[in-house]
Amino acid sequence: MNENKISFIICSNREEELAECLVYLDNLVIPEGMEMEVIVVNRAESLAGAYNLAMKESDAKYKVYIHQDVYIINPTFIGDIIRIFCAEPSIGIIGTLGTGKMPSSGCWFESRKQLGTLVGIYSGEMQLRRTEDFEEEYRGADVVDGIVIATQYDIEWREDLFDGWHFYDSSCCYEFRRRGYKVVVPRQDQPWSIHRCARNGLEKEYEKYRQIFVKEYLEN
């Protein structure tokens, strides 16, 4: 693994969104001595499967799995996450939004202990989503949302269970935790990212994967 390299991994099926995401990545400050690469997986059949392919393709120690409709607006993002990873090697995952306590439903966003902050764009309107502030540099989480997942170790995504578009992220967090690694959300005095998303109803497949997740991780 190249400890001086960071890889941004993106699944894409919409060129316009990808192009805007890349503009923000181009504006990130790359710490001295670090190398940055971007891997785009086009027309993936599942996020877990695509992420596994990209993960094996890259020799970067640090990997950031990011949605194509997410724009990182913290210019020092790379240095910030590497500092946290180096400060505590037991940290396996950093995410910008998540929860300190996973509800029994498996839906992290139903938790009363949400962590992180985000600027969301819904139908053209920008809204700030902010949870309870904390003073420490980061706080432990059960899971983080898949919009941004940064790792410093490679653990395979469970494409055997999650061969679609849901719960691949929560599953990833539990796989890291099963191996003794921590999942954390950093303190963000200002939001680190923007998420352009539509407020659609949950897809029919969501319930299918929710039940798989609950059976695999929460019932045991």
Side-chain angles (χ1 to χ4, degrees):
M1 301 296 287
N2 187 342
E3 296 186 359
N4 298 314
K5 187 175 182 180
I6 186 167
S7 178
F8 287 84
I9 296 170
I10 311 167
C11 284
S12 176
N13 61 1
R14 293 188 292 273
E15 292 185 4
E16 290 184 2
E17 286 190 350
L18 173 64
E20 189 165 0
C21 175
L22 295 177
V23 168
Y24 285 88
L25 295 186
D26 286 341
N27 289 328
L28 296 181
V29 176
I30 302 175
E32 185 176 356
M34 289 294 300
E35 174 188 356
M36 171 180 159
E37 71 174 0
V38 177
I39 298 176
V40 178
V41 181
N42 291 301
R43 307 293 176 181
E45 295 184 0
S46 75
L47 279 171
Y51 285 168
N52 275 333
L53 287 173
M55 180 183 73
K56 295 171 183 176
E57 179 181 330
S58 174
D59 67 344
K61 174 178 175 63
Y62 306 104
K63 296 180 176 69
V64 182
Y65 303 88
I66 177 175
H67 287 190
Q68 65 181 354
D69 56 2
V70 171
Y71 316 131
I72 296 179
I73 56 175
N74 171 18
T76 61
F77 174 85
I78 296 174
D80 290 340
I81 64 168
I82 291 177
R83 183 180 65 255
I84 293 173
F85 280 139
C86 290
E88 192 168 347
S90 62
I91 295 175
I93 288 179
I94 298 172
T96 55
L97 196 66
T99 180
K101 179 65 176 178
M102 174 65 91
S104 59
S105 66
C107 302
W108 75 263
F109 49 84
E110 294 178 354
S111 170
R112 295 182 178 180
K113 296 185 177 181
Q114 294 184 24
L115 301 168
T117 185
L118 175 75
V119 175
I121 301 178
Y122 308 98
S123 302
E125 291 189 12
M126 189 172 290
Q127 299 179 17
L128 176 63
R129 177 174 181 173
R130 192 173 194 91
T131 60
E132 182 180 354
D133 292 331
F134 50 87
E135 295 183 358
E136 57 267 41
E137 188 173 11
Y138 52 84
R139 181 167 287 185
D142 275 1
V143 301
V144 295
D145 189 84
I147 54 174
V148 178
I149 291 181
T151 68
Q152 67 169 331
Y153 305 109
D154 288 350
I155 293 177
E156 285 206 8
W157 299 75
R158 293 295 304 273
E159 60 180 305
D160 57 321
L161 294 178
F162 304 96
D163 55 358
W165 309 100
H166 304 293
F167 286 93
Y168 67 94
D169 44 3
S170 294
S171 166
C172 173
C173 294
Y174 271 79
E175 290 297 326
F176 269 77
R177 292 172 56 213
R178 278 177 168 178
R179 292 160 175 80
Y181 294 116
K182 296 178 182 178
V183 178
V184 305
V185 174
R187 186 183 72 242
Q188 298 160 72
D189 298 325
Q190 298 295 327
W192 286 14
S193 58
I194 295 174
H195 184 206
R196 182 185 295 277
C197 54
R199 279 181 166 163
N200 297 325
L202 295 178
E203 299 174 19
K204 293 181 180 179
E205 284 193 344
Y206 185 90
E207 178 60 20
K208 166 189 169 182
Y209 291 114
R210 188 192 71 81
Q211 292 183 18
I212 292 173
F213 176 82
V214 169
K215 181 177 181 181
E216 176 69 20
Y217 300 105
L218 301 186
E219 290 184 352
N220 299 321

